[in-house]
Amino acid sequence: MNDNAETLPHLNTVFEAIASRDDLSSDLRKSLVELWGAHKETQHLLVQARSDIALLSDRVLEKERREKKLESQLLYNRKSGLPNHFVLDNDLTGIIREAVVAAHPRTIAVMIVALDEAYEMAHKALDRQYTDWIIYECAGRLQDILPANARLYHTRDNEFVLLLVGVDPLINLSAYAERVRETLGDNFKFPEYTVRIGCLIGSAVFPRDGANKTQVLRSADIALNTAKHLQKSYLEFRPNMQSQAIEKMELQDAIIRALEEQSIAEISRQFSLFFQPYFAVSRGEAGGLCSRLIGAEALIRWEHPTRGLVDPCRFIPVAEESGLIIPIGSWTLFRAAEHLSEWAELGLNELSVSVNLSPRQFKDPNLVENVTKALGRSKASPTRFRLEITEGSVMDDLDQGLRKLHKISQLGVEIVIDDFGTGYSSLNYLRRLPIQGIKLDKSFIDEVLTSSHTQGIIRAVLHMAEDMGIEVVAEGVESFSQADYLASIACPVVQGYYFGKPLQADSFKRFAEKNYGSTVAHSEKNH
Ligand code: C2E
Ligand code: CA
Ligand code: CA
């Protein structure tokens, strides 16, 4: 364009000089004027064309720039700048393909690093710019310790994946996982706060833990989830983890099916309550051990149509994790209340029933309403109805927990702390809780005859409980000697295989009718 701007005035002067000559014939002058006109027209078109080309090339550049940006948005994480799961997928496919055709196939390790709940908490508590910076900083720290044969990806907000090619899985992986934990474990310092974040790591190795990309990624994910579940910081995939994960899914599916049938009849067909008796113990007139039936703990049983009897220790945690414990738990509350009411109608009205509540059930906002309905419908006595909760259920959120305990107490229902001694185990906090009893965990009873340390703890608990006016139940009593010792130190209530195993509802009813109101004397020879 500049060329034209300069040449045109110059040509103009030349043309005017020629045209002003008076020796030109009129024909020649006419041709000259026409030629000049055509020239100017050509020049004009040329200028136009050049500007069109410039505009077009600007547009092409803009399009390329946008495409690049879009590509980087699609393939790179905005916060960390690291390639995302699309790139990981693509890279892993390529690396595995190369490994398969190589003369000496190399192992490829997939390591998933998940930031722990401290990051989730920071996410909730702090402004976005802080957590964005934490992620950026994590990416930087991981990159700083990245070995030459490794690639790093940012696959989810709190999750990074490392591909390590040619590692010795047994030696290098756990050492490397430890370095990852160390570097991410360093404080994140802001002017106002210092944030500390941990991580959980799961790894799997191709070809050992998966024959293709999908399988090896899934194995690493299973290892990570198992680590979360077992509260380990790092786990390598093991084949039994897979069968556990599959079993968990199957169980979940089976519980959903049992509940989907929706009819209470179906739930009642598959689930049932067993009752394990508990007894007041004392020394008889002759100083011997005596017991008297005072109630029973409701323990759920699941008779799966094809699997047979499933242990509650297996399905309760699965139901708890998926939330399915809520419908199962409501059913338990209603059934237990019905049984209690039935016992009272038979004249066994001094017996109480004790129902277990998982942490999630305890937090359920409908709990108090459900208990009220269960008691109302069955006309069971609230003062004979007990709920067993663990220390953790209350301590998770003490204020909320206390409020709920008070509401339950107002119904007249008793609250007992189950598995006492396995959780927070602070005797003093118990004083703040409106409870009527504690169940000393079986692990104490197992050692009651052999460890003087345990004996000391049990005595202290009994002393404190007496002081507070609450009851102590020793659970898991398996022998006469244990029972006898417990009675000798004035432990008021016992439960365990020595006195009675969990019984089907009908069997328990017969057992209760036979034993109700009578005191049974025990001697070592009897058992
Ligand atoms: P838990 O509440 O600590 O219940 C006591 C468990 O110990 C029961 O196992 C019982 O059968 C067993 N047991 C009782 N006496 C003895 C003994 O002398 N020796 C031995 N070795 N074991 C004894 P179970 O019925 O398998 O229940 C296991 C756990 O499942 C329970 O532990 C409880 O946490 C949970 N659970 C059971 N039923 C329910 C329920 O209806 N709802 C909820 N949320 N959890 C339940
Ligand atoms: Ca219990
Ligand atoms: Ca227990």
Side-chain angles (χ1 to χ4, degrees):
M1 264 190 5
N2 278 345
D3 285 358
N4 291 311
E6 279 160 20
T7 45
L8 270 181
H10 173 68
L11 280 175
N12 220 9
T13 328
V14 174
F15 164 75
E16 273 167 12
I18 299 173
S20 63
R21 281 171 57 167
D22 38 10
D23 57 340
L24 293 181
S25 70
S26 62
D27 278 358
L28 197 56
R29 188 182 307 268
K30 195 173 157 221
S31 302
L32 198 63
V33 170
E34 277 171 12
L35 188 65
W36 182 235
H39 174 74
K40 278 211 283 198
E41 178 73 2
T42 316
Q43 286 303 319
H44 179 72
L45 287 175
L46 203 63
V47 170
Q48 186 68 42
R50 286 201 181 167
S51 112
D52 283 354
I53 288 171
L55 205 68
L56 205 64
S57 83
D58 274 359
R59 284 200 189 144
V60 170
L61 281 176
E62 171 65 14
K63 185 168 169 273
E64 277 176 2
R65 208 175 54 76
R66 267 202 238 153
E67 276 172 2
K68 271 212 182 98
K69 191 168 162 211
L70 201 66
E71 185 185 89
S72 85
Q73 278 172 351
L74 278 177
L75 302 180
Y76 293 86
N77 185 283
R78 184 186 58 78
K79 293 185 195 171
S80 62
L82 290 175
N84 64 15
H85 62 284
F86 288 124
V87 188
L88 165 69
D89 239 47
N90 196 41
D91 285 3
L92 189 55
T93 309
I95 297 173
I96 287 182
R97 197 180 299 134
E98 279 168 28
V100 170
V101 294
H104 304 288
R106 292 193 296 176
T107 51
I108 300 155
V110 176
M111 189 177 267
I112 308 182
V113 179
L115 303 181
D116 66 6
E117 65 271 15
Y119 173 72
E120 301 298 326
M121 273 166 61
H123 214 286
K124 283 184 198 146
L126 304 178
D127 283 349
R128 265 238 339 246
Q129 74 222 41
Y130 290 98
T131 41
D132 282 6
W133 189 80
I134 290 174
I135 288 293
Y136 181 77
E137 176 70 11
C138 285
R141 291 184 191 181
L142 289 173
Q143 240 156 356
D144 285 346
I145 59 160
L146 204 62
N149 56 354
R151 298 182 197 184
L152 175 65
Y153 306 84
H154 185 184
T155 47
R156 282 186 212 159
D157 186 44
N158 67 336
E159 213 168 271
F160 296 89
V161 173
L162 289 131
L163 289 187
L164 299 131
V165 181
V167 289
D168 179 337
L170 287 178
I171 304 164
N172 300 358
L173 275 182
S174 60
Y176 186 67
E178 192 47 43
R179 287 195 68 195
V180 168
R181 279 174 31 75
E182 268 170 24
T183 186
L184 293 184
D186 271 352
N187 289 343
F188 295 86
K189 289 201 175 101
F190 299 103
E192 315 87 338
Y193 320 99
T194 296
V195 179
R196 213 182 155 81
I197 280 169
C199 67
L200 296 159
I201 305 174
S203 73
V205 170
F206 170 88
R208 188 189 66 189
D209 305 328
N212 56 40
K213 170 195 77 183
T214 314
Q215 282 174 8
V216 79
L217 280 173
R218 190 188 301 137
S219 295
D221 207 40
I222 289 174
L224 175 70
N225 278 318
T226 311
K228 278 184 194 163
H229 198 64
L230 300 178
Q231 298 184 324
K232 302 263 188 214
S233 48
Y234 168 61
L235 282 181
E236 287 177 24
F237 176 79
R238 293 278 170 271
N240 67 334
M241 289 178 183
Q242 183 147 23
S243 53
Q244 282 160 5
I246 289 173
E247 174 172 77
K248 213 166 111 179
M249 270 168 46
E250 281 178 3
L251 269 181
Q252 207 148 302
D253 187 54
I255 299 174
I256 291 170
R257 276 167 201 271
L259 297 178
E260 259 175 3
E261 312 263 342
Q262 249 330 310
S263 66
I264 290 290
E266 182 58 28
I267 300 183
S268 298
R269 207 165 63 80
Q270 291 196 26
F271 294 95
S272 63
L273 290 183
F274 273 46
F275 293 92
Q276 185 180 27
Y278 43 82
F279 301 82
V281 280
S282 58
R283 291 277 180 201
E285 276 166 20
L289 172 67
C290 292
S291 69
R292 188 171 50 85
L293 175 70
I294 54 169
E297 176 177 3
L299 293 161
I300 197 161
R301 296 289 176 267
W302 183 18
E303 182 73 41
H304 184 264
T306 54
R307 284 165 169 269
L309 203 65
V310 187
D311 197 285
C313 294
R314 296 243 301 277
F315 77 84
I316 296 280
V318 176
E320 175 74 1
E321 203 178 308
S322 57
L324 292 165
I325 191 71
I326 302 295
I328 296 176
S330 298
W331 175 85
T332 310
L333 284 172
F334 279 84
R335 275 311 276 148
E338 281 167 7
H339 283 290
L340 180 65
S341 167
E342 198 189 332
W343 301 341
E345 276 170 23
L346 291 171
L348 315 171
N349 44 351
E350 299 273 304
L351 293 185
S352 61
V353 74
S354 205
V355 179
N356 290 284
L357 287 187
S358 73
R360 203 153 170 170
Q361 281 177 272
F362 181 67
K363 289 194 189 84
D364 179 11
N366 299 322
L367 173 68
V368 178
E369 192 189 327
N370 273 343
V371 173
T372 313
K373 276 192 195 156
L375 292 169
R377 253 184 231 175
S378 60
K379 306 210 168 46
S381 160
T383 53
R384 297 276 172 251
F385 202 72
R386 288 183 163 195
L387 296 175
E388 297 190 7
I389 58 170
T390 52
E391 294 166 79
S393 293
V394 189
M395 297 308 283
D396 270 359
D397 183 347
L398 191 55
D399 289 341
Q400 186 87 17
L402 269 173
R403 250 176 275 143
K404 188 156 279 183
L405 289 181
H406 280 292
K407 277 194 194 152
I408 296 171
S409 293
Q410 279 161 12
L411 300 177
V413 169
E414 295 199 335
I415 299 151
V416 176
I417 300 291
D418 200 0
D419 305 339
F420 183 77
T422 56
Y424 295 83
S425 304
S426 150
L427 296 182
N428 278 327
Y429 88 91
L430 277 186
R431 295 184 190 277
R432 295 184 56 191
L433 309 181
I435 54 168
Q436 284 69 43
I438 53 179
K439 293 186 90 170
L440 254 185
D441 190 63
K442 180 175 182 298
S443 53
F444 289 99
I445 311 308
D446 288 345
E447 294 178 348
V448 76
L449 299 175
T450 50
S451 158
S452 54
H453 177 69
T454 302
Q455 288 173 352
I457 295 175
I458 297 179
R459 279 173 198 274
V461 171
L462 286 168
H463 188 73
M464 179 208 61
E466 197 184 351
D467 199 33
M468 287 170 61
I470 64 172
E471 187 182 275
V472 175
V473 182
E475 63 176 346
V477 179
E478 293 183 339
S479 70
F480 169 80
S481 313
Q482 287 172 340
D484 196 43
Y485 176 80
L486 289 162
S488 78
I489 56 170
C491 173
V493 183
V494 291
Q495 182 184 9
Y497 290 175
Y498 172 72
F499 291 96
K501 291 197 169 177
L503 298 168
Q504 276 186 350
D506 279 349
S507 309
F508 175 76
K509 207 163 65 184
R510 283 195 294 276
F511 174 85
E513 284 180 311
K514 198 168 141 218
N515 290 280
Y516 185 73
S518 55
T519 300
V520 178
H522 299 258
S523 69
E524 196 152 14
K525 285 162 260 145
N526 287 355
H527 285 269

